[in-house]
C-alpha cells in the first residue's frame, strides 16, 4: 500500500439501482491492496455475498480494506432493485454526494469519486436543479466555475460546452467561456497532473475543417482563434483552432498534453473510440479532486454481474494519483 | 463471363497519383480481373513510370477513341494538356486541375455510353482543380452537375469494412439543425442501404447516430431525436430497411468496430470523421454514391510530403479499385432492387 500520508478516497454510491454498487465492490476486489477508499451509502445496497465492513469514520477505511469494502453508512428508505430506481431513494442519492463533499472539504478524505446517478430521477424526485453532478459539485464548492475533463492514458480532452442541445452550441460558445476553460485546464495540468512546462494544449475548431477560412462557419476565426492568440501571447503553448477530425490520431496526440473540444460529442467520440472502458471523468476547477467513471447508471444491465468496473477502477486510481500530485505541489 | 470495364482517372501530377497508378497497373490481380482504361495525360503516365523506374505496357489512343473490343491490353486515352509535363512534384497547378476535371468528364461520358462500368480516380488536389477552372466544391458537385442529378448523392467513407454515410457534410455547425429534416435523413438512410447492397451486403445493418449529447436524453438536451431522426428511422424501417437509432454518437462507433453494424449514418461532418479517422480511415476508401456509375477513390489525398519518392502505400488505392469493381459487378444484378427501393 502506498503513501500512508494520503487519506482514503470517498466514493459516493450513486444511484443504488444502477451499476454503482456492483462496480464499487468489483473495484474493491481489484484495489484492496493498492489504494484505500470507502463507499458512502446503504450497506444493504451492496450486492448479496459481497464482503463489506461498516466503518464509523473515514480514518477506519485503510485498515478495513483487507476485510471487505469499507462502507460509511447512510440509510436509504427503500431497498435497491436493479434497474428500477425507487423515487423515495432519490433524495438520499443527493445527500450522499453532499456528505462526500463535506468529508473531502474537511480533510477526512483525499478525493471524491462519484458513481453514476440518473439525472432524470434526481430532477423529478429530488428537486435536483443542476444539469449534472459536475454543476452540483461546483455549486457545493461555492459557485466555482468547474469544467469536465475526460481522461485516459491515450487522451485528455475538455469540452467547453457540455450537456446542451448541439443547436445551441454556436451561441453558447463565447470567448470568455473558452478562455476560462483553457485556463482551468492549464492550471489542472500543472497542479493535478504534474505536467512540466511548457504545457501544450490543442484547441479544436467548432466547424468542419475548423471553418476552412470562414467558408464553413466563422466562429473558428472570430471567437476561437483570438482566444488562442491571446493565451499564446501569455506563454501558454496553444495549437489551434485545429480541424477536429485530424487532431486525435496517435501522432497528433503526441504533440499535446490536453485537447479542448467545443461540444460534448467532439470530446466524447474520440475518448470513447480510443478508450471505451478506461476513460475517466475528472472535474477541474474545484477546490478538491473529483473523478467518476465516464458511463451512466446502465439500468439495462444492473444487477446481472455484467457491468465492467474498468472505468471505476481507473477513476479511483486517477483520484489517488491527482491527490498525490496536489499534495506534492 | 465478360469482364467489367473500369476507368482509372489519373490524379494530380504533383502528388502520389502517378506512382499509385503505376503500382496498381503492376498488380496482377488488378490487371486480370477487369478491362482497364486509363484516362490522363501521357506525360503524367510517364512520370509514374519514371518514379517507379519501370515501364508499363499500355496501348495509347486518342481521348475520343473507340474503347471496345479489349484485347487484354491496358488502354490509355491520352488527354492533351499543355505544360502538364513541367508541373513540379509537390506543387499545385492549373494543368493538374484541368487533367483531373477533363479525365473525370471523359470517364462520365464513357459510362453514359455504357462503355465503362465503374470509375476509380487517383487523388485529386482541390486547389489545383480550383486553379484549373473547376466551379464546383468537389468531384461530387461536378458529377451531380454532369449527370444533372435530382436524387441524393453523397460521399461515403469506408474503413476496414465500416461505412459512414452523412446527412450533412461541409456545412457550418450553426446551419446543421435547419438541414436535419426527416425527409433528408430518410433519404440518407435509403442511399446507405442501396449503396451497401451494391457493395455486396445482402441486408446491410445500419445504425443512425443521434444529434445531441446522450441522444438528447429524452428531450432534455435537444429534441431533434424525437422530432426528426426517430421518424426517419421508423419510415425507413417500414420500407424494410434494417436500421436502428438514433443512438448516442459517442458509444456507437465501437459497436460498429465490433461488428454489430455495417454502416453509420451521421448527422454532421465531425461526428463521423473524428471516429472513422481513428478507426483506420487513412487507409480507407471513399465511395461517391448515388451516381449512375460506381465511383471510388483512396481516402488519402495527394500526399505532397512523400510525392515522387516511390513510397506511397498501394493498399488504399487497391481497396478503392476492388470496391469499385465489386459495386460494378453487383450493380446489374441488383438493378431491380435499386429502382424498387428508390424513394
Amino acid at each position: 500500500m502506498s503513501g500512508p500520508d494520503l487519506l482514503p478516497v470517498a466514493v459516493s454510491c450513486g444511484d443504488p439501482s444502477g451499476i454503482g454498487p456492483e462496480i464499487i465492490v468489483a473495484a474493491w476486489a481489484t484495489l484492496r491492496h493498492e489504494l484505500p477508499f470507502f463507499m458512502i451509502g446503504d450497506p444493504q445496497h451492496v450486492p448479496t455475498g459481497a464482503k463489506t465492513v461498516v466503518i464509523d469514520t473515514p480514518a477506519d477505511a485503510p485498515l478495513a480494506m483487507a476485510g471487505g469494502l469499507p462502507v460509511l453508512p447512510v440509510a436509504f428508505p427503500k431497498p435497491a432493485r436493479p434497474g428500477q430506481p425507487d423515487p423515495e431513494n432519490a433524495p438520499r442519492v443527493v445527500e450522499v454526494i453532499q456528505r462526500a463533499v463535506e468529508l473531502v472539504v474537511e480533510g477526512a478524505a483525499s478525493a471524491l469519486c462519484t458513481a453514476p446517478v440518473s439525472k432524470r430521477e434526481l430532477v423529478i424526485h429530488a428537486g435536483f436543479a443542476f444539469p449534472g453532478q459536475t454543476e452540483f459539485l461546483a455549486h457545493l464548492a461555492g459557485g466555482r466555475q468547474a469544467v469536465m475533463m475526460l481522461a485516459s492514458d491515450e487522451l485528455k480532452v475538455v469540452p467547453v460546452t457540455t450537456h446542451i442541445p448541439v443547436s445551441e452550441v454556436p451561441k453558447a460558445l463565447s470567448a470568455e467561456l473558452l478562455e476560462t476553460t483553457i485556463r482551468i485546464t492549464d492550471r489542472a495540468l500543472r497542479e493535478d497532473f504534474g505536467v512540466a512546462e511548457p504545457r501544450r494544449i490543442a484547441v479544436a475548431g467548432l466547424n468542419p475543417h475548423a471553418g476552412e477560412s470562414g467558408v464553413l462557419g466563422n466562429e473558428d476565426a472570430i471567437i476561437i482563434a483570438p482566444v488562442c492568440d491571446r493565451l499564446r501571447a501569455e506563454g501558454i503553448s496553444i495549437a489551434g483552432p485545429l480541424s477536429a477530425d485530424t487532431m486525435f490520431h496517435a501522432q497528433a496526440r503526441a504533440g499535446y498534453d490536453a485537447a479542448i473540444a467545443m461540444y460534448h460529442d467532439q470530446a466524447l467520440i474520440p475518448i470513447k473510440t480510443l478508450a471505451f472502458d478506461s476513460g475517466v471523468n475528472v472535474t477541474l476547477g474545484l477546490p478538491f479532486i473529483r473523478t467518476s467513471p465516464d458511463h451512466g447508471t446502465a439500468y439495462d444491465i444492473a444487477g446481472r454481474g455484467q457491468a465492467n468496473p474498468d472505468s471505476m477502477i481507473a477513476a479511483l486510481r486517477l483520484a489517488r494519483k491527482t491527490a498525490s500530485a496536489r499534495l506534492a505541489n | 463471363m465478360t469482364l467489367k470495364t473500369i476507368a482509372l482517372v489519373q490524379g494530380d501530377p504533383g502528388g502520389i497519383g502517378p506512382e499509385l497508378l503505376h503500382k496498381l497497373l503492376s498488380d496482377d490481380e488488378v490487371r486480370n480481373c477487369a478491362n482497364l482504361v486509363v484516362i490522363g495525360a501521357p506525360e503524367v503516365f510517364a512520370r509514374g513510370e519514371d518514379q517507379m523506374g519501370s515501364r508499363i505496357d499500355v496501348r495509347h489512343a486518342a481521348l475520343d477513341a473507340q474503347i471496345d473490343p479489349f484485347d487484354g491490353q491496358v488502354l490509355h486515352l491520352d488527354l492533351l494538356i499543355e505544360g502538364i509535363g513541367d508541373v513540379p512534384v509537390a506543387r499545385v497547378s492549373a494543368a493538374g486541375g484541368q487533367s483531373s476535371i477533363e479525365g473525370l468528364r471523359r470517364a462520365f461520358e464513357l459510362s453514359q455510353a455504357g462503355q465503362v462500368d465503374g470509375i476509380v480516380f487517383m487523388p485529386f488536389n482541390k486547389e489545383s482543380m480550383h486553379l484549373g477552372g473547376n466551379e464546383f466544391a468537389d468531384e461530387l458537385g461536378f458529377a451531380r452537375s454532369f449527370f444533372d442529378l435530382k436524387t441524393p448523392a453523397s460521399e461515403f467513407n469506408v474503413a476496414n469494412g465500416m461505412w459512414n454515410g452523412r446527412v450533412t457534410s461541409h456545412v457550418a455547425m450553426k446551419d446543421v439543425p435547419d438541414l436535419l429534416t426527416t425527409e433528408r435523413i430518410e433519404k440518407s438512410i435509403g442511399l446507405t442501404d442501396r449503396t451497401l447492397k451494391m457493395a455486396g451486403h445482402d441486408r446491410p445493418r445500419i445504425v443512425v447516430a443521434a444529434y445531441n449529447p446522450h441522444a438528447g436524453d429524452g428531450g432534455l438536451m435537444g429534441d431533434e431525436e424525437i422530432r426528426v431522426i426517430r421518424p426517419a428511422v421508423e419510415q425507413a424501417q417500414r420500407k424494410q430497411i434494417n436500421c436502428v437509432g438514433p443512438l448516442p454518437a459517442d458509444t456507437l462507433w465501437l459497436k460498429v468496430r465490433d461488428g454489430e453494424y455495417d454502416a453509420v449514418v451521421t448527422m454532421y461532418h465531425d461526428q463521423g470523421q473524428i471516429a472513422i479517422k481513428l478507426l483506420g480511415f487513412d487507409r480507407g476508401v471513399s465511395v461517391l454514391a448515388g451516381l449512375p456509375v460506381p465511383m471510388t477513390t483512396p481516402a488519402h489525398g495527394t500526399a505532397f510530403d512523400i510525392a515522387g519518392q516511390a513510397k506511397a502505400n498501394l493498399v488504399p488505392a487497391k481497396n478503392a479499385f476492388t470496391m469499385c469493381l465489386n459495386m460494378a459487378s453487383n450493380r446489374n444484378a441488383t438493378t431491380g432492387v435499386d429502382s424498387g427501393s428508390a424513394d
Side-chain angles (χ1 to χ4, degrees), chain A residues 166 207 209 245 264 272 276, chain B residues 170 173 211-212 254 277:
Chain A
V166 179
N207 293 297
H209 310 170
D245 61 344
H264 182 276
K272 293 277 188 188
F276 183 66
Chain B
H170 292 121
M173 283 296 277
Y211 174 59
N212 291 296
L254 289 185
K277 284 184 178 165

Side-chain angles (χ1 to χ4, degrees), chain B residues 71-109:
Chain B
D71 56 1
Q73 202 177 17
V74 177
L75 183 65
H76 190 293
L77 300 183
D78 295 350
L79 261 174
L80 303 178
I81 293 180
E82 187 146 334
I84 198 164
D86 303 325
V87 171
V89 167
R91 292 281 178 77
V92 298
S93 63
Q98 277 167 32
S99 110
S100 304
I101 299 161
E102 295 312 315
L104 214 45
R105 190 191 309 280
R106 186 68 192 132
F108 289 161
E109 288 166 0

Side-chain angles (χ1 to χ4, degrees), chain A residues 20 29 76 115 185 236 290:
Chain A
F76 279 53
T185 304
I236 302 179
R290 181 263 182 149

Side-chain angles (χ1 to χ4, degrees), chain A residues 236-275:
Chain A
I236 302 179
S237 173
I238 290 191
L242 303 172
S243 184
D245 61 344
T246 51
M247 65 182 274
F248 294 111
H249 60 81
Q251 203 185 339
R253 293 198 309 275
Y256 58 80
D257 300 304
I260 307 287
M262 296 304 116
Y263 53 90
H264 182 276
D265 279 359
Q266 201 181 41
L268 269 291
I269 290 173
I271 194 110
K272 293 277 188 188
T273 306
L274 287 165

Side-chain angles (χ1 to χ4, degrees), chain B residues 146-162:
Chain B
F146 180 91
F147 291 111
D148 194 20
L149 283 188
K150 302 285 184 269
T151 49
S154 176
E155 183 181 320
F156 284 76
N157 299 140
V158 192
N160 301 318
M162 296 171 271

Side-chain angles (χ1 to χ4, degrees), chain B residues 99 110 137 164 166 179 225 255 327:
Chain B
S99 110
L110 289 168
N164 178 209
R166 351 156 159 173
L179 293 171
E225 286 74 17
K255 297 178 187 178
M327 293 177 76

Side-chain angles (χ1 to χ4, degrees), chain A residues 75-101:
Chain A
F76 279 53
K78 294 284 179 176
R81 282 172 304 166
Q84 297 174 301
D86 193 309
E88 286 187 50
N89 281 338
R92 288 288 193 284
V93 173
V94 179
E95 277 173 44
V96 163
I97 300 168
Q98 282 170 313
R99 181 83 189 106
V101 168

